[in-house]
Amino acid sequence: MNNRENLLQQAMLMFAARGYDAVGVQEIADAAGITKPTLYHYFGSKHGLLTTLLNENFDPFFAELEQAARYQGDVTMSLRAVTAAYFSFASQNPRFYRFHLSMWFAPVDSDAFRASILLAERQQQLLEALFSAAAINHGNMKGRQRAYAASFLGMINTYVTQALNGYGQFDDQLVNSTVHQFMHGIFS
């Protein structure tokens, strides 16, 4: 493992265990067995390290999510694909996903929140686009895409949290029941 990868791995472990704000640059450098100037060489700052960590973990997920969120005439099928993408990502990256969720609740003026809000907004936009496209076939969705996207993502993250805490499993049954519950709310 090279120094850059080692720094990212050590930062992820520490940020996930204690939160971004509770971890210092010197601690990360010490854990990686390198000097602070080496960390600054690769990332420029602790915030640069965080941004890189988020982007490198989320880039492959966003590629999958963009595919899953393309509406192709069947909203239930699309929502299943989106849900499966989230569940797969969370099950493969549980520590990272927990850390990601924790940053949503960080103080609004913190580096952690500012770094994560861009990723949250991107997720929201992809889901809004899905619901906007589906509104063509489902008139009752028209004008509600923002609320549907937010509530669907909230539902997904709730089930992710439950599964990560041992109260469920990331499987097809959870995907189907999540989508069924959400769709029941839309069409009732």
Side-chain angles (χ1 to χ4, degrees), residues 89-164:
F89 181 64
S91 70
Q92 292 172 19
N93 305 281
R95 182 176 285 131
F96 175 78
Y97 206 92
R98 282 181 184 277
F99 174 58
H100 155 67
L101 288 177
S102 75
M103 291 188 304
W104 285 30
F105 300 99
V108 175
D109 62 344
S110 70
D111 281 346
F113 182 81
R114 284 192 298 270
S116 69
I117 193 64
L118 299 174
L119 300 167
E121 288 172 353
R122 187 171 172 194
Q123 292 172 67
Q124 176 74 22
Q125 291 167 355
L126 286 169
L127 295 177
E128 279 185 40
L130 167 61
F131 286 111
S132 290
I136 294 167
N137 296 332
H138 303 281
N140 63 331
M141 290 184 178
K142 191 171 184 164
R144 298 179 180 169
Q145 60 271 12
R146 184 161 186 75
Y148 284 166
S151 59
F152 188 58
L153 184 54
M155 179 179 261
I156 288 171
N157 284 329
T158 297
Y159 284 114
V160 164
T161 301
Q162 286 185 330
L164 291 176

Side-chain angles (χ1 to χ4, degrees), residues 75-84 130-131 152 179 182-183:
V75 70
T76 302
M77 180 185 72
S78 296
L79 294 180
R80 280 190 184 121
V82 166
T83 304
L130 167 61
F131 286 111
F152 188 58
V179 172
F182 185 77
M183 293 302 294

Side-chain angles (χ1 to χ4, degrees), residues 28-100:
I28 299 167
D30 289 347
I34 57 95
T35 63
K36 280 177 31 175
T38 302
L39 184 146
Y40 292 130
H41 165 74
Y42 286 112
F43 306 106
S45 65
K46 181 179 163 187
H47 182 76
L49 174 61
L50 173 64
T51 302
T52 301
L53 181 67
L54 292 173
N55 289 337
E56 288 190 7
N57 278 277
F58 264 115
D59 282 349
F61 170 68
F62 276 124
E64 185 176 347
L65 183 60
E66 286 170 1
Q67 284 289 100
R70 286 196 179 120
Y71 181 67
Q72 297 183 20
D74 185 337
V75 70
T76 302
M77 180 185 72
S78 296
L79 294 180
R80 280 190 184 121
V82 166
T83 304
Y86 273 97
F87 288 177
S88 175
F89 181 64
S91 70
Q92 292 172 19
N93 305 281
R95 182 176 285 131
F96 175 78
Y97 206 92
R98 282 181 184 277
F99 174 58
H100 155 67

